[in-house]
Amino acid sequence: GSVRGWRKAIAPDEVGTGSVLLSDFCSGLKKIGFAGQAMTLWKALTRAAGGSTSVGLEHFEPDFAEQLDALAKTLVARFEGGALQAWGSMERDHLGRANFSEFERFVNAQKLIPRHADVHLRRVFEALDMRGLGTIGKEDFLFFDHWAHRRFGTPLSTDEELGEREEAEPWSPPRRPPTPEPSLDDFRKFLSQKYVTPARAWRVAIDLRGVGAIASPDFGKGCRAVGWKHKHHGLFKELAAKGGGLATMRTLDPDTAAAIDDLNEIISKKYGGDIHELWSQALDPADTGMVGRTEFVSEVAVELGMKAEAAKLLFNVLDTNGSGYITEGELMFVEVCESQLSQMLRSQQRRQEAPASMFHSVSSPALSTSSSPHAALLSSFAPTEKANIASPMKSTRGAQARAFANTHRIKHMFVADSIHQHCRSKTTEMVEELRYVNHLAMRSTPQGDVFRHTSQFYRECVKRLQVLQKPPQEESDEESEDEVEEEEG
């Protein structure tokens, strides 16, 4: 109603009974979006106030002010504690709120309306309900005290405990405990579900430029690229603590890094450090140009003595496009994956061992006098020679992503041309092996053959036929003759 609007928007105090100046009046009209003649209204109100420079609710709604006067005067006279005591005496279903029926029942039961007064309780209730909830609380009901204090000068109640009944704290569902930030192990599991291994995710989406170590901004871009929706700063700090201030593939996937170390050690001992010899002798002796997953795992496990699980980790980090085959060029990654990182670490070690004055820059004193630990760390990792403008270090992630896609496309084209030759070579080997096995199983041996040659089989058959055709007496004579010949022989 209009009274509630006056109390909320125009009156300068929270209760809504204070005097309103012209500035307050104009500000309130602007707040409610009134676009009429504000000065005309203000002049009408000031005339009702007898030319005063301030107006109140009694000048805005004089009829309603008379109703409040009658009700507040009777309430203050009936209850010594004022509205606070009256609120404590009101019967209501809810300890903290009262609806219109309970308010009306209380006013009629206490006979707070004088006989000669015409009080509209519904309008009074709506004026008290500041929030428009259909119920009023203790703070709303205390408006009567403030109105009586303004109109009749009665003191405000200061005893907060008078007539007050403690209200039980309303029930609310328990707060959900804060979700803990995912750990580094959770990040590794996420990468394994999406990219098979964390090391493959490192090559495909995180370290696109292939420098071996990245700082926090590039790590954050990589996390967003793989779809990680949590904060990455804690993960980077944990990786950097183990990687000398930067995140590396070794700190992200130590199992794959250990498998690469084992393979490099075997290549160094067994093949003289030449990875081409490993490829041509053990992995691709038929020179098909490619090796499948099953063949790679079996050959590495059997020929090199590595575990099958380590061989699978190696294949996954090499096969970045997931084609199921790798080439000799992809195998070269095990040799160059940390070559640049090792140079950086050696450079850092030299800087730590040598005096700091040896590395002061004469041409750039601002860099030499920098006291920032992060700047000192990055300067220690700086390469000794300036990188080529066409190198991956000088490119952006977008450029490297396109280059990575091009290499995958080229590999698919090569696989499509070489898969027939590879399958034909493998089929020929399998057929030769089966022929050799069948030859061993079916070849003739002196112990397994009854007749060593066909003529012997023919003579034995002729003898059998002659025996069947002769009488029994002749058979016995011939048998005795054969026995005598055998004894003489």
Side-chain angles (χ1 to χ4, degrees):
S2 59
V3 178
R4 184 193 301 169
W6 178 276
R7 293 181 61 193
K8 292 181 65 176
I10 298 178
D13 57 338
E14 295 182 359
V15 180
T17 59
S19 298
V20 178
L21 300 175
L22 177 60
S23 59
D24 300 327
F25 183 74
C26 294
S27 177
L29 293 181
K30 184 178 180 181
K31 186 186 300 182
I32 63 177
F34 181 77
Q37 297 293 331
M39 289 304 300
T40 303
L41 296 176
W42 176 254
K43 290 179 181 179
L45 291 174
T46 53
R47 282 196 300 269
S52 176
T53 57
S54 62
V55 296
L57 179 60
E58 62 273 13
H59 307 120
F60 179 66
E61 289 283 357
D63 296 337
F64 182 72
E66 292 179 0
Q67 299 180 29
L68 288 178
D69 289 344
L71 192 59
K73 184 182 291 186
T74 307
L75 187 143
V76 172
R78 185 69 54 84
F79 296 95
E80 296 181 358
L84 186 61
Q85 184 180 3
W87 177 262
S89 302
M90 184 186 301
E91 294 182 0
R92 48 191 190 275
D93 296 335
H94 195 280
L95 293 179
R97 310 289 297 177
N99 55 29
F100 174 72
S101 300
E102 296 168 345
F103 173 74
E104 184 182 25
R105 186 169 57 250
F106 170 75
V107 172
N108 293 331
Q110 297 295 333
K111 299 180 180 180
L112 299 180
I113 303 177
R115 295 180 180 179
H116 62 278
D118 185 13
V119 180
H120 298 278
L121 292 180
R122 169 62 71 176
R123 190 179 181 189
V124 173
F125 184 83
E126 291 178 354
L128 296 177
D129 184 14
M130 289 284 286
R131 290 182 288 180
L133 300 176
T135 59
I136 59 175
K138 181 181 68 174
E139 295 79 6
D140 301 326
F141 195 75
L142 291 179
F143 172 77
F144 288 114
D145 277 349
H146 293 275
W147 182 261
H149 176 71
R150 173 179 173 79
R151 299 286 286 172
F152 312 120
T154 58
L156 294 173
S157 176
T158 57
D159 188 3
E160 296 293 338
E161 300 296 332
L162 182 61
E164 180 69 11
R165 290 182 293 178
E166 293 185 0
E167 180 182 1
E169 184 178 356
W171 181 88
S172 60
R175 291 185 177 182
R176 180 180 299 177
T179 305
E181 288 294 331
S183 62
L184 182 58
D185 292 336
D186 297 331
F187 183 60
R188 288 168 176 161
K189 291 179 182 178
F190 172 81
L191 296 179
S192 299
Q193 292 175 357
K194 196 169 183 179
Y195 294 93
V196 184
T197 62
R200 185 168 179 266
W202 173 272
R203 295 192 63 195
V204 172
I206 299 178
D207 183 23
L208 283 181
R209 293 186 294 175
V211 296
I214 58 176
S216 180
D218 288 334
F219 183 75
K221 293 178 183 178
C223 290
R224 290 190 292 272
V226 300
W228 182 253
K229 298 182 180 180
H230 306 279
K231 296 181 179 179
H232 69 277
H233 301 89
L235 301 176
F236 178 78
K237 289 181 180 179
E238 191 171 351
L239 293 173
K242 302 176 182 178
L246 297 174
T248 62
M249 187 188 72
R250 183 174 296 275
T251 57
L252 181 64
D253 193 349
D255 295 336
T256 301
I260 293 176
D261 294 341
D262 294 342
L263 182 60
N264 283 327
E265 185 177 358
I266 294 174
I267 295 173
S268 177
K269 293 181 178 179
K270 193 171 182 180
Y271 297 95
D274 189 357
I275 198 170
H276 176 72
E277 295 295 328
L278 168 67
W279 176 266
S280 59
Q281 295 182 14
L283 300 179
D284 188 25
D287 195 19
T288 60
M290 54 195 300
V291 175
R293 178 188 180 89
T294 304
E295 302 162 2
F296 180 86
V297 173
S298 61
E299 294 294 339
V300 170
V302 175
E303 297 292 336
L304 306 183
M306 294 183 64
K307 295 182 179 179
E309 190 65 28
K312 292 179 181 178
L313 293 176
L314 284 172
F315 188 87
N316 289 329
V317 74
L318 296 176
D319 185 21
T320 55
N321 67 338
S323 62
Y325 294 90
I326 63 171
T327 61
E328 183 179 1
E330 291 176 304
L331 185 63
M332 293 295 178
F333 173 75
V334 300
E335 187 177 11
V336 300
C337 62
E338 291 184 344
S339 59
Q340 187 176 359
L341 180 61
S342 302
Q343 181 181 359
M344 293 180 179
L345 294 177
R346 288 195 301 269
S347 176
Q348 182 190 22
Q349 185 177 4
R350 289 196 302 269
R351 291 177 181 273
Q352 292 176 352
E353 294 176 354
S357 59
M358 294 180 59
F359 299 96
H360 285 174
S361 174
V362 178
S363 61
S364 181
L367 296 178
S368 63
T369 58
S370 176
S371 59
S372 173
H374 186 65
L377 179 62
L378 292 180
S379 63
S380 64
F381 277 106
T384 57
E385 298 181 0
K386 188 175 180 180
N388 187 7
I389 193 172
S391 66
M393 297 176 61
K394 289 291 185 179
S395 63
T396 61
R397 285 181 57 87
Q400 285 304 310
R402 291 191 295 271
F404 217 45
N406 290 334
T407 58
H408 287 174
R409 180 178 59 85
I410 293 172
K411 179 182 176 182
H412 280 296
M413 294 172 60
F414 171 76
V415 168
D417 294 338
S418 302
I419 191 68
H420 300 291
Q421 179 184 356
H422 182 78
C423 293
R424 188 184 305 110
S425 174
K426 291 299 177 182
T427 305
T428 304
E429 293 178 2
M430 293 175 61
V431 170
E432 292 179 355
E433 291 179 358
L434 290 176
R435 285 178 178 176
Y436 180 71
V437 173
N438 293 335
H439 172 70
L440 294 178
M442 301 176 62
R443 67 187 181 91
S444 60
T445 59
Q447 293 80 10
D449 294 343
V450 177
F451 306 104
R452 297 185 180 183
H453 42 79
T454 307
S455 57
Q456 182 182 2
F457 175 77
Y458 176 76
R459 286 197 297 270
E460 292 294 333
C461 290
V462 171
K463 289 181 180 180
R464 291 292 180 180
L465 291 175
Q466 291 177 354
V467 169
L468 291 176
Q469 292 176 359
K470 291 181 179 179
Q473 181 64 29
E474 294 181 359
E475 291 180 3
S476 60
D477 295 340
E478 290 182 358
E479 290 179 358
S480 59
E481 291 178 358
D482 292 339
E483 291 177 358
V484 172
E485 291 179 358
E486 290 178 359
E487 289 179 357
E488 291 178 354

